[in-house]
Amino acid sequence: MLSSPVQTTLAEAVPLRDVPFVVVDLETTGGSPRDSSITEIGAVLVTGGERLGTFQTLVNPEEPIPAFISHLTGIDDFLVREEPPIEAVLPAFLEFARGAVFVAHNARFDFSFLNENLGRLDYPALEGPPVCTAKLARRVVWPEVPNVRLQTLARYFRTRVKPTHRALDDAMACAEVLDGLLELGGRLGILTLGDLREAVRARGRPHFGKIRLADPLPHAAGVYRFVGQDERVLYVGKARDLRARVKSYLYGDGRKKIENLLGEVRRVEGDVTPGGELEALVLEARLIRRHEPKYNRRGKTWRRFAYLKLDPSEAYPRLKVVHRAGHGDGCTYLGPFSGGGAARLAKEALEDVVPLRSCTRAMGARTRFAPCVLADMGRCPAPCDGRIDPERYGELVRDLLSSLESPDGLLGALEAKMWRLADAERFEEAASVRDRLGALAAALHRARRDAWLLGAGRLEIVVEGDRLLGFDGGALARAGDAPGETEPIPIPCPRERADELSAVRSWLAKNPVRVLACDVPLAEPVDGGARIAKILRWAKDQELPRAARR
């Protein structure tokens, strides 16, 4: 017997030849652990393919055994009449199985029956998860066998003991099947206890031939890369345990995209991130931007990011949806947005309150042409036919720019419009205003946070665990970076770095930090902050405010 149990975590690297297994089979009065009772327990203790001991006992279920069960197993009421009850049997079984990994064929059945009785008698539950030889067979010998029933596998491996629907015979046959499965599994890369548990619980088609690709990776947090034959990075991901995460793919994943990915993988690389979760998030975003992996959903989504642009140098400026932001061009930008649709919603929200022209025709100071229907509806100042001069139009532009800095009045006007429409039971129009309002508020919220984060210059913070993190213009300086090596993020944030900034922004919002030093004091305008927060809550619920629906 063993003096201490084997640690059974997925990351455990104990070689299978050194792992003690207790192979168990039960006979019962039925299929429900709560409503049925155990009539026989059989178990075999094996290590490295060597049988170390056996355990067998009949159990008095203290209830009638159904006739069909007696016909199947040969165990009837007369046979168990003088046998001990389960409470007298369990202590001996627990001592026999102590320190060994639980194995059974269709293990959930036997494992749950034993734990149900242990719990009823106030014993601690068996340590899990159990190893199921049926599941393991599906990974190792399927589809070479027509099914994974114990009788079929016993014939396949030519076991000395044949299953007979009696507990000890079935346990001994299962132990031989386990030995055969482990031998085949070893050739496929199942070499440790962690490998075995992953193989049993994985789904989809396994790539056993590539499991050893994960061996160079450490059991540490970081970012991993799947690399193809042409040295192109196929996928980038992050994990708390690099080796375990990569192996979880290789043992099988039912998703078609992952199957295709694994078919192309030739090498796996990993980078440990001592800076913790934030460093992993940032490094993942940077690598995805750099390599644009074909299997990362975010690999090219940044190309859809958009901005609102206002060029004050034009005679009659208008809001434009653009996909690139300039720097030092004198224009005002809001964004990036996740796409053109969100940018257009924010544009419409601003035009609801500040009636700038929305036509796309280029205009100089003296350009004139026939006005559109928006001018007749009073929703455009119509500089096209001279109804407003450049000076008055410039005031509208300055009002808009001022509202972006102090948006309380702007957002309040949109909110009031939404309420009026809802009170008039024009709910579709009210919902449209709500969506525009939500898109605008979210953009203003991001812009406010980005302004102090990107404008802080060199920023040093202390996070949980007294770890020091440094930023340069919003860009995280990774451990080992030389001074000046980190490239700051300009304002407005370029779309190709939006995911990196979003990771930093989200992480800072969720985690307590202490500011140690910064070049520019961190500050955010008060005006509009409370209203932005309220609107974001509405947008998250995707419903009209209660007051507006009454």
Side-chain angles (χ1 to χ4, degrees), residues 109-138:
F109 176 87
D110 306 86
F111 196 70
S112 60
F113 252 98
L114 286 168
N115 277 335
E116 177 70 23
N117 284 274
L118 289 170
R120 181 170 53 83
L121 298 172
D122 294 326
Y123 285 100
L126 294 169
E127 185 180 1
V131 173
C132 177
T133 50
K135 290 183 177 180
L136 183 59
R138 291 190 184 98

Side-chain angles (χ1 to χ4, degrees), residues 27 39-40 58 65 69-70 73-77 79-80 166:
E27 302 301 333
T39 59
E40 187 177 27
L58 290 166
I65 299 176
I69 295 290
S70 296
T73 65
I75 302 174
D76 55 20
D77 295 334
L79 187 63
V80 299
R166 290 299 299 268

